[in-house]
Amino acid sequence: MSELTPKEKKIIQKKILQLSAEIERHDRLYYKDSQPEISDFEYDCLKAELLHLESLLPADSLIKFGDDRSGILLTHKHYTPMLSLENTYNLNDVFDFDTRIRKLLEIENDIIYMVEPKIDGLAVNLIYEHGQLKYALTRGNGIEGDDVTDNVKTIEALPLGIENISERIEIRGEIYMDQAIFHRINQEREERGEVLFANARNLTSGTIKLMDSEEVRSRQLKFIAYGVGLGGDFITQNDVYLFLKQLGFQSQRCFHVCEKIKDVEQIIKQLDKERKQLSYDTDGVVFKVNECVLQAKLGTTAKAPRWAFAYKFEPECAETILRDITFQIGRTGVVTPVAELEPVNLSGSCVSRATLHNADDIEKKDIRIGDRVIVEKSGEIIPAIIGVKVEYRKNKISEKFIFPEKCPCCNAKLLRLLEEVARRCPNMNCREQVIQKIIYFASKTAMDIDGLGDALIRRLVENKKLKTIADIYSLQKEDLYLLDNFGDKSVNRLLSNIEHSKKTELWRFVNALGIPLVGEKTAKDLALHVPSLNILMNNISIDDLLNIRGIGTKAAQSIVDFFKKEENVNLIHELLASGVECSILSIKKNPKFSGKLFALTGKLEKYTRDRAKVLIEENGGSVTNVINSKVDVLIAGIEKGQKLREAEIKGIQIWTENDFLNALS
Ligand code: IVH
């Protein structure tokens, strides 16, 4: 390439500066706020462009690491730096990588690679001293990271003690969250009108920095180990995984040793097909030189090891036309904009709707009806509009989208509460809100009225047969005969299901009421500790609620406020008058359980974990996920692992499943 003129150099320098500033802003949004504005793919493209510009002016600018330090948490230094991985979206680069390192190593033969999924989570460094977990650190700036030890200790399968007596060892791996938990939390956030997390990765990094470890525990994070920093000496990468497994870590189960680079390509294609079956999100494939001697010869650059490389899957994106913007109104009145799209094929399914998140997001991206937009769906996330192809707007007249000031259903003026991005309809009688409240009331984890689904509820509200939740219990045969497709059999079945739902458990009833910030879990926590509905309604103070494990200040306040409102109390009285009865889980004072702290490990044959937990609590005990000196009894099923070993070391009493059954009887 010919020498650059001073003018060209200046232009490139200016571009580098602009691009660096932009990347820095996105780093902040991604690492510190866990709320990125652009997708990983767009981010990687910015970085690739910066790298390209830098290569034109070698000494002029240095690409920096992302930095996830919050500035609030204590930090600690890593004993060996936590590096990043060089990555690509292009298969040709995979072969170039192989050629490059063979050249560096002066090897003509094939190189053996370890190939495995790239887990889309959050990197952590676990420092064990004399076998005990001392620090858990985020990557931070690669040199020092945030101390998130207390939160990491809530991860159920993570060993707090390992059989490794060396003075210090660093275990590297990825923290992630299962999709089911991610969806549950986002759903709860949506109900509260809070900003949604775009994917499980962002929620994981938001979670790991929370101050409330109990909240972190409830989010059930997981950990997969994939490397050893300080303190490891291995022959192959394969041995690293065997070692990690022996120590009790969940390590990569899905890995392939490839004899040559062509096989790596094969595995990349295979993993791309199989990735939906993994329990974690994966955004690509990592391949590592298998032999540690060769790894050592190759060494690292300032940013990444030279012996590893990541191929990233392109996110599934498609372009289509935004036909309209409609609105969904939730049971608490939150108004969510929805993109109605010209149907388009994305990840094998036909997408015709996508989320537009909130008014601010539409404004920021300047999304207009009629625009050609880019829809993205990566992993399990809801399809979202990530951008607009503004160039297609040129010859068309389009208008900026103005978010309505009034509720699209009942015309009430929308409110924007302090610190909330969501707009809310304040009218409790708004038809859509009523429909959503009734849907929630009848749903599986609430009153569980089989057959009373969304469509039927909508029709009954439209026909004015249901105006409030309580009307469910005064539905008559003739109300249902009026509907199409409803014959004797379906009418009788539905009425019998409605009748059947009247005898319910307290937690279901509390959940069904739709108290803001009270979902299934909080309702269960409440019901375990509050003796009756009457007491919950009349005799509970914020302090009493705060003494219940799992209930925080905001939820406590919301519960007290709910029962102060006359309309809520009237609704409950109406429901009780129509025959709803809630049984409570009585806490027996079983001396084998009472006041004791239990932990569980391995699979029980007779009960699920959740059921075992309820039984322990019903008998007066409580349950934790961590083994520490406060634990009185460990119940060990089959497939016992690290927890059992830890309990034995700590001298904690151990029960078999049989001991547990005997204690219950
Ligand atoms: S090996 C020096 N293996 O990807 C880093 N990393 O984008 C060697 N990651 O910071 C890491 N899955 O947090 C490795 N199977 C895997 C991985 C993995 C996810 C993360 C890791 C790294 C990031 C780079």
Side-chain angles (χ1 to χ4, degrees):
M1 191 180 166
S2 59
E3 183 88 10
L4 293 169
T5 64
K7 192 171 170 204
E8 282 169 333
K9 267 193 188 158
K10 246 193 171 149
I11 293 172
I12 294 174
Q13 269 163 344
K14 197 171 159 204
K15 273 202 168 160
I16 287 179
L17 279 178
Q18 281 168 345
L19 209 50
S20 305
E22 196 179 345
I23 289 173
E24 228 175 277
R25 193 174 78 82
H26 290 301
D27 276 343
R28 210 170 45 244
L29 288 164
Y30 184 87
Y31 289 114
K32 296 218 168 73
D33 307 340
S34 304
Q35 290 290 2
E37 276 175 11
I38 57 173
S39 66
D40 284 3
F41 181 65
E42 291 169 286
Y43 177 84
D44 288 334
C45 291
L46 291 180
K47 277 221 157 164
E49 193 185 338
L50 180 60
L51 267 176
H52 167 69
L53 293 174
E54 284 176 350
S55 71
L56 301 175
L57 299 175
D60 275 312
S61 134
L62 242 183
I63 195 166
K64 277 194 291 176
F65 257 148
D67 184 353
D68 70 22
R69 287 172 305 170
S70 60
I72 298 167
L73 297 170
L74 291 176
T75 56
H76 194 276
K77 277 207 160 64
H78 304 296
Y79 289 94
T80 47
M82 279 189 87
L83 301 177
S84 182
L85 278 175
E86 200 186 329
N87 71 52
T88 184
Y89 289 88
N90 184 343
L91 262 177
N92 291 335
D93 292 344
V94 169
F95 292 94
D96 289 352
F97 171 82
D98 179 65
T99 315
R100 192 169 74 220
I101 59 165
R102 275 193 295 133
K103 214 166 164 188
L104 282 172
L105 291 168
E106 296 171 350
I107 291 183
E108 302 231 324
N109 298 345
D110 288 320
I111 286 180
I112 303 172
Y113 290 104
M114 167 63 79
V115 190
E116 61 197 65
K118 180 171 185 312
I119 308 150
D120 195 13
L122 184 83
V124 279
N125 183 23
L126 308 178
I127 300 171
Y128 288 82
E129 286 181 4
H130 304 290
Q132 294 304 308
L133 177 63
K134 184 88 190 221
Y135 297 105
L137 308 172
T138 65
R139 190 173 73 175
N141 61 355
I143 305 298
E144 63 166 33
D146 274 345
D147 181 341
V148 289
T149 316
D150 287 344
N151 288 346
V152 165
K153 281 183 176 171
T154 68
I155 297 175
E156 193 172 355
L158 189 134
L160 301 181
I162 54 176
E163 274 170 19
N164 184 281
I165 35 111
S166 58
E167 191 188 349
R168 188 171 288 134
I169 184 165
E170 288 182 306
I171 307 291
R172 303 276 165 88
E174 203 85 355
I175 293 183
Y176 66 96
M177 182 183 282
D178 277 339
Q179 282 298 328
I181 311 278
F182 164 64
H183 287 305
R184 193 201 75 207
I185 293 172
N186 245 1
Q187 210 168 358
E188 286 167 7
R189 292 181 71 87
E190 193 167 12
E191 288 298 341
R192 284 180 236 144
E194 292 173 359
V195 183
L196 296 189
F197 284 95
N199 52 44
R201 193 231 154 257
N202 295 336
L203 181 49
T204 305
S205 72
T207 300
I208 207 67
K209 294 186 179 184
L210 291 176
M211 295 296 169
D212 178 356
S213 289
E214 280 313 305
E215 176 62 27
V216 178
R217 186 188 305 284
S218 77
R219 297 192 184 177
Q220 299 171 41
L221 296 174
K222 298 203 167 145
F223 175 77
I224 285 187
Y226 51 65
V228 177
L230 178 84
D233 191 7
F234 304 94
I235 299 182
T236 63
Q237 192 65 31
N238 219 342
D239 296 339
V240 176
Y241 297 151
L242 284 177
F243 171 77
L244 290 169
K245 198 162 170 233
Q246 274 162 10
L247 288 186
F249 289 97
Q250 183 189 345
S251 69
Q252 286 283 19
R253 254 176 263 163
C254 167
F255 58 78
H256 304 261
V257 179
C258 291
E259 302 284 335
K260 49 182 179 297
I261 196 68
K262 196 87 190 103
D263 299 346
V264 174
E265 182 190 19
Q266 192 58 37
I267 299 295
I268 287 178
K269 288 185 177 154
Q270 185 183 325
L271 281 174
D272 194 6
K273 284 201 198 108
E274 290 170 0
R275 65 183 154 133
K276 293 202 174 79
Q277 284 142 37
L278 294 169
S279 67
Y280 46 81
D281 278 350
T282 163
D283 56 343
V285 175
V286 183
F287 56 103
K288 307 168 181 174
V289 171
N290 196 37
E291 278 186 54
C292 298
V293 178
L294 300 184
Q295 290 184 359
K297 272 192 192 161
L298 288 161
T300 70
T301 67
K303 286 173 275 179
R306 286 196 193 88
W307 45 266
F309 198 63
Y311 169 84
K312 289 180 84 174
F313 302 125
E314 273 210 31
E316 286 149 302
C317 279
E319 282 180 31
T320 187
I321 305 294
L322 176 63
R323 282 183 179 161
D324 198 4
I325 295 177
T326 56
F327 300 92
Q328 265 173 359
I329 299 156
R331 66 186 162 93
T332 57
V334 172
V335 179
T336 309
V338 179
E340 304 290 345
L341 305 166
E342 196 84 52
V344 61
N345 193 329
L346 201 52
S347 332
S349 56
C350 177
V351 174
S352 56
R353 305 183 94 198
T355 177
L356 282 166
H357 300 303
N358 53 56
D360 292 0
D361 203 45
I362 300 179
E363 163 104 41
K364 209 160 49 197
K365 294 182 178 144
D366 187 17
I367 297 169
R368 304 177 184 197
I369 294 172
D371 272 349
R372 179 172 273 268
V373 290
I374 305 163
V375 207
E376 182 184 296
K377 187 174 191 309
S378 78
E380 285 296 302
I381 65 165
I382 326 148
I385 304 293
I386 58 161
V388 173
K389 303 284 273 187
V390 188
E391 60 275 26
Y392 284 87
R393 232 186 241 162
K394 264 187 264 159
N395 303 323
K396 278 191 260 155
I397 307 162
S398 72
E399 283 169 28
K400 219 174 157 57
F401 182 75
I402 313 277
F403 204 88
E405 289 190 356
K406 294 189 173 162
C407 171
C409 175
C410 70
N411 231 14
K413 192 166 172 18
L414 297 181
L415 296 182
R416 180 182 192 162
L417 301 183
L418 215 62
E419 290 178 29
E420 274 195 358
V421 283
R423 309 290 198 275
R424 273 177 200 273
C425 167
N427 174 12
M428 298 267 291
N429 299 316
C430 167
R431 199 178 67 187
E432 266 306 310
Q433 255 188 80
V434 170
I435 291 175
Q436 296 303 331
K437 279 195 180 100
I438 301 177
I439 290 175
Y440 190 75
F441 184 85
S443 66
K444 271 256 161 303
T445 59
M447 299 300 273
D448 193 15
I449 309 180
D450 206 16
L452 190 58
D454 300 12
L456 180 57
I457 291 172
R458 201 166 275 283
R459 272 154 76 200
L460 288 167
V461 171
E462 275 158 12
N463 286 312
K464 304 207 167 40
K465 299 299 171 201
L466 285 181
K467 292 197 196 72
T468 70
I469 288 171
D471 291 344
I472 295 176
Y473 293 107
S474 31
L475 277 176
Q476 303 295 320
K477 280 190 175 182
E478 16 334 335
D479 299 330
L480 299 169
Y481 280 130
L482 285 177
L483 305 172
D484 313 331
N485 315 329
F486 253 72
D488 274 348
K489 226 172 160 185
S490 18
V491 167
N492 287 338
R493 197 181 315 122
L494 180 62
L495 287 179
S496 144
N497 290 347
I498 292 177
E499 189 57 31
H500 193 74
S501 76
K502 287 182 181 172
K503 293 227 171 342
T504 190
E505 292 156 298
L506 179 59
W507 73 264
R508 287 190 172 278
F509 186 71
V510 171
N511 189 26
L513 290 172
I515 305 169
L517 307 192
V518 177
E520 182 186 340
K521 186 182 166 292
T522 312
K524 281 184 177 163
D525 288 339
L526 259 176
L528 271 174
H529 293 88
V530 179
S532 73
L533 178 63
N534 202 9
I535 294 186
L536 180 60
M537 287 172 70
N538 302 309
N539 292 327
I540 278 263
S541 68
I542 292 204
D543 286 343
D544 297 332
L545 290 169
L546 287 175
N547 278 330
I548 300 177
R549 212 182 41 199
I551 299 188
T553 339
K554 284 187 186 160
Q557 186 64 54
S558 171
I559 295 164
V560 168
D561 290 349
F562 183 88
F563 290 113
K564 267 196 209 143
K565 285 201 183 124
E566 206 182 325
E567 64 259 34
N568 297 332
V569 175
N570 290 344
L571 169 70
I572 295 171
H573 285 310
E574 252 184 279
L575 289 167
L576 297 179
S578 49
V580 173
E581 278 174 43
C582 333
S583 60
I584 50 153
L585 295 171
S586 55
I587 308 239
K588 303 170 207 148
K589 281 259 174 286
N590 179 338
K592 299 217 169 98
F593 291 86
S594 197
K596 289 188 184 162
L597 184 61
F598 288 76
L600 293 152
T601 185
K603 195 170 164 10
L604 297 180
E605 285 186 332
K606 191 142 188 262
Y607 299 116
T608 61
R609 269 212 186 186
D610 284 346
R611 183 66 196 137
K613 184 167 175 252
V614 170
L615 286 168
I616 294 168
E617 288 172 339
E618 277 177 6
N619 280 274
S622 43
V623 180
T624 175
N625 286 331
V626 259
I627 298 286
N628 56 31
S629 54
K630 290 189 200 138
V631 174
D632 298 295
V633 180
L634 175 76
I635 301 175
I638 41 180
E639 296 167 23
K640 321 149 204 185
Q642 184 62 25
K643 273 196 193 168
L644 183 64
R645 255 174 282 151
E646 271 173 58
E648 279 166 353
I649 295 166
K650 293 196 165 69
I652 293 168
Q653 192 181 356
I654 293 163
W655 286 4
T656 60
E657 179 162 1
N658 250 345
D659 297 333
F660 176 45
L661 297 180
N662 288 339
L664 286 172
S665 58

